């Protein structure tokens, strides 16, 4: 299934807004949140700390 479905005539009346890729390691959890399959992640986190945020115009790295 695509990450984001925007069809006007969606057969199951449900749209996926985002997909999270979660990697669980021995000492940390890395997260990436994607809005679309063909773009880089919108958010990147390690454990609960925001590492990176991007929108259509900006890319920010959290300190």
């Amino acid at each position: 299934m695509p990450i984001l479905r925007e069809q006007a005539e969606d057969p199951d009346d449900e749209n996926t807004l985002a997909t999270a890729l979660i990697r669980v390691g021995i000492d940390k959890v890395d997260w990436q949140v994607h809005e679309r399959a063909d773009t880089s992640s919108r958010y990147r986190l390690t454990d609960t700390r925001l590492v990176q945020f991007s929108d259509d115009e900006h890319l920010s790295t959290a300190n």
Side-chain angles (χ1 to χ4, degrees):
M1 274 175 90
I3 292 174
L4 178 64
R5 295 183 293 157
E6 299 177 305
Q7 292 85 1
E9 295 183 23
D10 188 5
D12 61 4
D13 294 323
E14 294 181 6
N15 287 318
T16 304
L17 299 178
T19 295
L21 174 60
I22 303 168
R23 293 186 178 105
V24 179
I26 292 173
D27 60 348
K28 67 179 179 178
V29 177
D30 288 316
W31 309 67
Q32 292 183 5
V33 180
H34 296 263
E35 289 183 349
R36 298 180 185 277
D38 60 347
T39 61
S40 60
S41 60
R42 172 77 59 158
Y43 299 99
R44 210 175 80 215
L45 300 95
T46 296
D47 297 324
T48 59
R49 183 175 55 89
L50 181 64
V51 176
Q52 180 178 320
F53 164 78
S54 64
D55 59 25
D56 293 337
E57 299 176 9
H58 302 91
L59 174 65
S60 300
T61 302
N63 294 330

